[in-house]
Amino acid sequence: MTRRARWKAAAGVVIAGILGTLGWIALPPPAALAAPTPVPAVAMEDRGGMPLRATRSPDGSRGGWTAVGEMDPRLVQAFLAAEDHRFFAHAGVDARAIGRAVRDNLRGRRRAGASTLTMQTVRLLRPLPRSWGGKARQALWALRLDAHLQKRAILEQYLNRVPLGQAATGVSPAAALYFGASARELSLGQAALLAGIARAPSRDNPLVSPNRARARRDVVLGRMRALGYATADEVVRARAEPVLPPHRATPFLAPHFTTHVLQMAEAEGRAMDGTWRTSLDLELQTLLEAEVRHTVRVLADRGARQAAAVVLDNATGEVLAWVGSPDFGEPGAGQVDMVVSPRQPGSALKPFVYALAFDRGHTAATVLPDVPRSFATSLGPYRPQNYDRRFRGPVRMREALASSYNVPAVELADRLGVEPVLQALHRAGFASLSRGASHYGLGLALGNGDVTLVELANGYRALARGGEWTPWRWRPAAPGEVSPLRERVVSPQAAALVLDVLSDADARAPGFGAETPFDFPFPAAAKTGTSRHFTDNWAVGVTQGFTVAVWVGNFSGRPMEGVSGVTGAGPLLYRAMLATAGRYPPGALPTPREAGLVPVQVCRLSGLRATPGCVSTVEWFILGTEPSRTDDWERGGRIALPEEYGDWAAGERGRLGAAASLGGEERFRILAPRDGDRYQVPLGVDARYATVALRAAGADVGVRWLVDGRELSQQRWRLVPGPHTIRAIAPSGEWDEVRVVVAAR
């Protein structure tokens, strides 16, 4: 074939292709393609079927289709200004925009696109691959649509199908969701905000980022002003509008929780349609929202402006309550969700370090040095300090953990190694700790890495589950359903021992005093955490049935004024635990005996096997870790400490000068309540929770308690109005007595 013949053949192919394409464009598109159809809509309910939120149209229908002629004209103008202001001037493909995009991309400027509203409508009607070939097919379909449909019909298709975030498809569901309004009547600012969302609906919607939504709205308003759709004065007023109105007509409850669920569903590619039954307990949610608001009111003069809380069911991992901030509608900060925003947890990570140590052969009786110490690190010497700047010399691990001493925790992390500690935290679900062990260093034991509140709650939930981690879930578990994702964090024995320590009020007393917010009227373990400079307060409470985690602080990172985990987050945890126990049985935590641990009498000072010459206590040991050595620290009323405590002992002459007091018996006395205490039963608190703990010093077991001459069967007393006399009698016959008054409601 000659060259001329080849050219003729090629030209024929091209002409045939062009004619075929033009013929295809001339064919009417399938009638069903652009027919009004029900748009996807999501309705979310709590575990009992109570409505939480919906992305339906204002009348509650599942359709949500609105004719373009019925839409607010400003809404149409806003989308034209934001997406395609030459929509009525091109035939579906804008050659001018394509040329501009090619020029800008060749010049290395920001990546410019040239998709028209018609092309975007094609993408919504017929999803095509995001490739050059897919783009070409999209352009051809746009030409075909434009050739057969009126411009208003194309606009109607687009505006009723465009995703606008939070599972809202189309302008009607979006207007109902964000503003509690109808697409038939919107303000200029609301119309511009919806148009601004379209480019990045999952990122720029006001429930995820009010600041980005506001910025996009203002860009659209500027374009509307430039195109003559709005005057300068109208734009000024529109920019002053709040991004979200304070009240909406449609249900919008548990906003942080439902927003996060929709984000997760979108990330997983889950179909955004239908009614979703969630695990949330709306009644409990409402109670905790009130407690969070109460907390920030009480602590306002101490510089605390925000708080958060989350409750998990231990058996299933179901979320029962999720409060991300005191007020979701607060401008600027309300939409921040502290349940999933990483911050430093302080001492709240210590239990996982100790649990790892228990599995490595350490025991609750192992003595750690709480003395001035310098640790060599890659960044230079590290000298940890305790919260109160004091050092206590030899401390058993039970007291070190319960009283949350920092120096022993760092010592323990140094013995275990930072890498194994980090691996244990990863097994416990702390995915936010994404840096290497060298980044955190020994400070990891003191919570210098950022974690989220729900990670913390689920990590403690693993301890309540015998050391086994499973994911938390937002949907109710089916009967007998078992999570396929399971991770062994620590042994059941180590988990039970940690919980026993965290529920030991006597071991907590040296660090926090006899009275703390963790005196629950049911078996529970509790731990607090405070980050550096009082920026963040954390507290976690664990029962057999549920786990509660709370946070108090400031989203901005501004320090509070001397608010610790006990004084800030602690009271919120106490009230949240009571509220949860009012709806879900706390149950009984696994005891060390049930977990297979064995009791041994040890000396309080050394943690070694007890002798008649030392003050002793009963400690629990994982089988095979019991101390084999008999105490030799206390001899004939004198104390002989190991050499590593020499410098500390020399500086503690006042405390150790009466060395016999460390080796002699402690006087029997009542620690709580104290003589002269006054109580009042709080309004709205179930009578079964209006109790106080009874504690004494100088005897470990066998103490008898009498109130007004009547012996109690347990070491808790239910408050009864009037004056009362409380007597404690030790097995030796010693006794102590206090008088208290309970005021009537």
Side-chain angles (χ1 to χ4, degrees):
M1 182 182 292
T2 66
R3 179 180 299 179
R4 184 170 182 176
R6 287 198 298 269
W7 274 107
K8 283 184 177 181
V13 171
V14 171
I15 292 171
I18 293 173
L19 292 175
T21 300
L22 291 175
W24 179 82
I25 291 174
L27 290 174
L33 181 66
T37 58
V39 297
V42 172
M44 304 181 72
E45 301 173 343
D46 89 329
R47 64 190 304 113
M50 296 296 292
L52 296 176
R53 70 185 285 179
T55 62
R56 302 173 186 260
S57 58
D59 62 1
S61 68
R62 289 191 53 79
W65 193 277
T66 304
V68 70
E70 297 176 1
M71 296 180 188
D72 192 308
R74 289 172 294 195
L75 183 62
V76 177
Q77 292 170 343
F79 274 91
L80 291 174
E83 298 296 326
D84 185 4
H85 71 277
R86 284 176 35 81
F87 175 73
F88 287 100
H90 59 67
V93 176
D94 191 348
R96 185 185 301 179
I98 293 174
R100 184 174 60 250
V102 171
R103 179 199 65 195
D104 290 346
N105 288 327
L106 290 175
R107 290 179 177 179
R109 296 180 182 176
R110 66 175 180 85
R111 185 180 178 183
S115 288
T116 64
L117 272 179
T118 312
M119 294 172 68
Q120 294 181 50
T121 304
V122 169
R123 189 173 66 244
L124 298 173
L125 293 171
R126 295 181 64 89
L128 295 168
R130 292 181 177 273
S131 61
W132 286 108
K135 201 75 171 177
R137 291 165 61 193
Q138 186 183 94
L140 291 175
W141 268 104
L143 292 171
R144 186 177 182 184
L145 279 188
D146 196 86
H148 295 279
L149 296 181
Q150 294 183 355
K151 290 287 189 178
R152 290 171 63 84
I154 296 173
L155 264 180
E156 184 171 310
Q157 288 289 327
Y158 174 78
L159 293 172
N160 281 287
R161 297 179 185 274
V162 59
L164 293 174
Q166 301 296 305
T169 301
V171 292
S172 288
L177 171 65
Y178 298 126
F179 315 125
S182 167
R184 295 171 171 83
E185 187 174 354
L186 292 172
S187 70
L188 178 62
Q190 291 169 340
L193 189 140
L194 291 183
I197 295 174
R199 188 159 298 183
S202 62
R203 184 193 67 188
D204 291 346
N205 76 77
L207 298 184
V208 170
S209 176
N211 292 333
R212 282 197 295 262
R214 181 182 294 105
R216 283 290 303 151
R217 179 196 67 182
D218 292 349
V219 168
V220 175
L221 287 170
R223 291 179 181 174
M224 294 181 74
R225 169 74 181 92
L227 293 169
Y229 293 147
T231 67
D233 289 343
E234 288 174 332
V235 168
V236 169
R237 288 194 296 270
R239 285 177 171 167
E241 292 180 23
V243 173
L244 290 171
H247 303 290
R248 300 175 182 84
T250 53
F252 192 69
L253 306 174
H256 293 99
F257 170 71
T258 54
T259 296
H260 190 71
V261 167
L262 289 172
Q263 286 178 296
M264 290 192 303
E266 184 176 357
E268 295 168 3
R270 187 188 298 270
M272 297 283 198
D273 195 15
T275 298
W276 296 1
R277 179 68 60 89
T278 73
S279 62
L280 196 85
D281 181 336
L282 183 56
E283 186 169 339
L284 179 61
Q285 173 78 14
T286 303
L287 291 173
L288 262 62
E289 287 177 356
E291 294 296 354
V292 164
R293 290 192 296 269
H294 172 76
T295 296
V296 296
R297 284 196 300 268
V298 170
L299 296 175
D301 61 343
R302 307 284 295 277
R305 297 289 182 270
Q306 278 88 31
V310 65
V311 181
L312 302 179
D313 179 279
N314 286 343
T316 63
E318 295 171 3
V319 174
L320 301 178
W322 179 303
V323 186
S325 76
D327 180 7
F328 186 85
E330 179 187 354
Q335 289 81 49
V336 175
D337 187 354
M338 268 310 302
V339 175
V340 290
S341 298
R343 299 289 280 266
Q344 290 189 357
S347 297
L349 292 187
K350 288 177 183 174
F352 301 96
V353 181
Y354 281 78
L356 176 63
F358 292 151
D359 273 337
R360 296 288 184 89
H362 290 73
T363 74
T366 298
V367 170
L368 296 174
D370 184 13
V371 298
R373 172 92 189 270
S374 179
F375 296 87
T377 72
S378 59
L379 299 177
Y382 175 45
R383 301 181 179 87
Q385 293 281 340
N386 289 320
Y387 177 79
D388 58 4
R389 303 290 176 173
R390 291 177 52 200
F391 297 97
R392 291 167 176 81
V395 293
R396 287 173 292 120
M397 281 177 58
R398 173 174 290 271
E399 180 183 320
L401 173 57
S403 290
S404 199
Y405 299 147
N406 288 342
V407 178
V410 175
E411 169 71 26
L412 194 57
D414 188 51
R415 295 183 184 184
L416 297 170
V418 179
E419 183 63 43
V421 169
L422 182 59
Q423 291 175 1
L425 290 169
H426 285 162
R427 291 195 299 272
F430 292 98
S432 296
L433 296 173
S434 57
R435 309 289 289 270
S438 60
H439 171 79
Y440 302 111
L442 293 173
L444 183 61
L446 306 184
N448 68 352
D450 291 349
V451 305
T452 69
L453 192 62
V454 71
E455 284 177 338
L456 194 67
N458 207 34
Y460 275 78
R461 171 179 162 258
L463 297 178
R465 289 175 49 83
E468 182 186 63
W469 178 91
T470 63
W472 60 269
R473 54 186 300 143
W474 60 268
R475 277 188 149 170
E481 182 179 356
V482 178
S483 172
L485 299 175
R486 312 171 83 83
E487 183 77 47
R488 170 59 59 186
V489 182
V490 293
S491 69
Q493 295 77 21
L497 188 54
V498 165
L499 293 176
D500 182 65
V501 171
L502 295 180
S503 60
D504 187 343
D506 292 332
R508 187 187 301 129
F512 299 103
E515 295 185 5
T516 69
F518 310 128
D519 185 14
F520 301 107
F522 42 77
K527 186 71 186 75
T528 63
T530 303
S531 62
R532 292 185 62 189
H533 309 304
F534 300 100
T535 300
D536 303 277
N537 277 184
W538 309 69
V540 187
V542 185
T543 70
Q544 186 268 334
F546 55 81
T547 297
V548 179
V550 302
W551 171 90
V552 175
N554 292 299
F555 297 152
S556 65
R558 177 183 176 184
M560 296 172 285
E561 297 176 12
V563 180
S564 68
V566 172
T567 60
L572 173 57
L573 176 67
Y574 181 81
R575 296 191 300 273
M577 291 279 282
L578 291 188
T580 306
R583 296 186 57 76
Y584 299 91
L589 288 169
T591 66
R593 188 182 298 279
E594 291 169 344
L597 281 77
V598 294
V600 175
Q601 199 83 15
V602 299
C603 290
R604 284 180 177 270
L605 183 61
S606 66
L608 301 173
R609 283 189 176 267
T611 67
C614 73
V615 177
S616 64
T617 186
V618 174
E619 187 53 85
W620 294 95
F621 295 87
I622 297 175
L623 195 63
T625 65
E626 309 95 312
S628 57
R629 180 176 153 201
T630 302
D631 176 68
D632 56 2
W633 289 27
E634 301 180 53
R635 304 169 184 171
R638 298 185 63 82
I639 298 173
L641 296 177
E643 291 183 3
E644 64 181 314
Y645 299 103
D647 291 340
W648 169 82
E652 292 284 324
R653 288 190 303 271
R655 179 171 178 264
L656 295 180
S661 67
L662 288 175
E665 294 294 330
E666 185 178 12
R667 180 181 68 82
F668 180 76
R669 69 189 190 282
I670 293 176
L671 291 176
R674 295 179 298 182
D675 193 48
D677 278 354
R678 297 183 63 86
Y679 297 94
Q680 184 172 22
V681 180
L683 289 172
V685 173
D686 192 309
R688 59 182 167 154
Y689 298 138
T691 64
V692 296
L694 307 174
R695 294 202 294 274
D700 290 321
V701 294
V703 177
R704 295 171 54 212
W705 291 92
L706 295 89
V707 177
D708 301 329
R710 299 180 62 181
E711 188 164 355
L712 301 179
S713 59
Q714 58 182 356
Q715 291 188 344
R716 297 200 70 86
W717 172 55
R718 182 175 294 179
L719 297 178
V720 177
H724 302 280
T725 300
I726 300 176
R727 174 173 291 196
I729 305 174
S732 63
E734 293 179 274
W735 60 274
D736 192 19
E737 191 173 86
V738 297
R739 290 173 174 79
V740 300
V741 175
V742 180
R745 293 190 180 187

